[in-house]
Amino acid sequence: MLRTSASRVLDDNDRDEVLALLDSDPVANVFVASRVRAVGLNPARLGGQMWGFGPRGGLVSLCYAGANMVPVNAGPEAVHAFADRARKQGRRCSSIVGPVDAVSLLWERLEPHWGRARAIRWAQPVMATSSKPPVPADPMVRRVRPEEFDILLPACVAMFTEEVGVSPNLGDGGALYRTRVAELIRIGRSYARIDDGRVVFKAEVGAVTPQACQIQGVWVAPELRGKGHAVAGMAAVVEAAMSCFAPVVTLYVNDFNHAARAVYRKVGFHEVDTFMSVLF
């Protein structure tokens, strides 16, 4: 029987300790670390709460509880504490995502209370590279301009729907999703090849810290797949990300997506960890 210890809600007084813990594994923790570095730990700015396990000065685990629930460095005792808080609070997230051991145990404890998930991705290899791609980059891939939002958005919606299994336009009509797409364009983290008003390839740099950045939303127009656009496009995005954002580029991918995994290996990525996602 595990000794039960309570988690606590962290605030900006804990920021330095939180970042030190996140920086102990900058690839696995890039999403949460990016959020904390950008806005701090105040729930109103963070878009959720950051739960901590361990006393101030002895913090050992975290759990970001926002639109996504993301455990960080969470062993069984910490997972028990986070699950207890999540159960009492009720489900507010659209997914649980993170290292497979922590997420699988967290879901084991929450499923009896939250009910069945819409989908579970049991194994998602985390891949990373810190080397220049060994393949030529597509010179036509560039940052998307704000005036190209209406061209890019349908490709983003198609990617999201294909990847997640539901449209981002459900619920609020897509308002939050459109805001996020526009924001990534505005801050120069949306890349695409656009030929005659048509998106051929696109990807975004979704999270950035000084140590690592994470690529997301990789998509090639269906009728153009198998022609090398993904490899050359990813090479271009990796080169840009290393030049502009961080020395290590990472992403995670479904284990059953063999075509994508092959693309990423050609660009120089190698597997470093395994994530799991529970989707609601």
Side-chain angles (χ1 to χ4, degrees):
M1 183 69 178
L2 292 173
R3 175 177 59 86
T4 301
S5 299
S7 62
R8 58 191 177 91
V9 178
L10 305 179
D11 59 31
D12 282 328
N13 293 317
D14 301 290
R15 185 178 186 275
D16 290 345
E17 193 176 4
V18 166
L19 286 176
L21 182 55
L22 292 168
D23 289 348
S24 67
D25 191 343
V27 169
N29 301 332
V30 61
F31 168 73
V32 178
S34 176
R35 292 289 300 156
V36 174
R37 289 183 181 277
V39 299
L41 292 167
N42 181 291
R45 296 193 303 272
L46 188 63
Q49 295 179 337
M50 186 72 75
W51 302 338
F53 183 78
R56 183 161 292 167
L59 197 63
V60 296
S61 303
L62 304 168
C63 186
Y64 171 71
N68 309 303
M69 179 172 285
V70 187
V72 172
N73 198 46
E77 194 173 357
V79 168
H80 181 87
F82 296 145
D84 186 57
R85 181 177 288 273
R87 177 183 58 80
K88 292 175 181 176
Q89 177 178 278
R91 183 175 71 82
R92 301 180 182 178
C93 60
S94 60
S95 69
I96 306 172
V97 59
V100 62
D101 289 346
V103 171
S104 60
L105 184 56
L106 189 57
W107 182 233
E108 179 183 309
R109 294 184 177 279
L110 287 175
E111 184 178 15
H113 307 283
W114 284 9
R116 294 183 60 184
R118 179 176 57 80
I120 299 178
R121 309 288 167 78
W122 293 101
Q124 297 175 300
V126 178
M127 307 181 78
T129 182
S130 56
S131 303
K132 178 181 170 63
V135 292
D138 185 345
M140 300 296 288
V141 171
R142 55 171 175 79
R143 281 179 166 151
V144 178
R145 297 186 288 267
E147 62 270 23
E148 295 172 314
F149 171 82
D150 288 335
I151 296 173
L152 184 70
L153 182 63
C156 293
V157 171
M159 177 282 307
F160 187 99
T161 304
E162 183 177 345
E163 173 67 20
V164 179
V166 296
S167 170
N169 293 328
L170 296 177
D172 66 352
L176 284 175
Y177 188 73
R178 289 196 299 273
T179 298
R180 177 60 175 163
V181 171
E183 174 68 4
L184 287 171
I185 294 173
R186 185 187 66 80
I187 61 179
R189 285 168 29 190
S190 179
Y191 291 84
R193 174 172 176 165
I194 300 174
D195 291 352
D196 297 324
R198 179 179 68 164
V199 176
V200 173
F201 164 90
K202 74 154 202 83
E204 293 85 40
V205 181
V208 173
T209 74
Q211 296 92 343
C213 60
Q214 184 179 74
I215 294 177
Q216 65 180 38
V218 180
W219 183 86
V220 174
E223 67 277 12
L224 298 175
R225 292 175 186 176
K227 300 180 182 297
H229 290 297
V231 172
M234 280 297 295
V237 175
V238 167
E239 288 185 0
M242 287 181 175
S243 174
C244 301
F245 302 119
V248 178
V249 182
T250 184
L251 52 79
Y252 63 97
V253 59
N254 292 317
D255 62 340
F256 54 79
N257 194 342
H258 300 292
R261 293 170 70 182
V263 166
Y264 302 147
R265 284 193 292 267
K266 288 178 182 178
V267 178
F269 286 87
H270 58 281
E271 296 182 11
V272 297
D273 202 349
T274 305
F275 273 13
M276 171 180 167
S277 293
V278 181
L279 308 177
F280 302 106

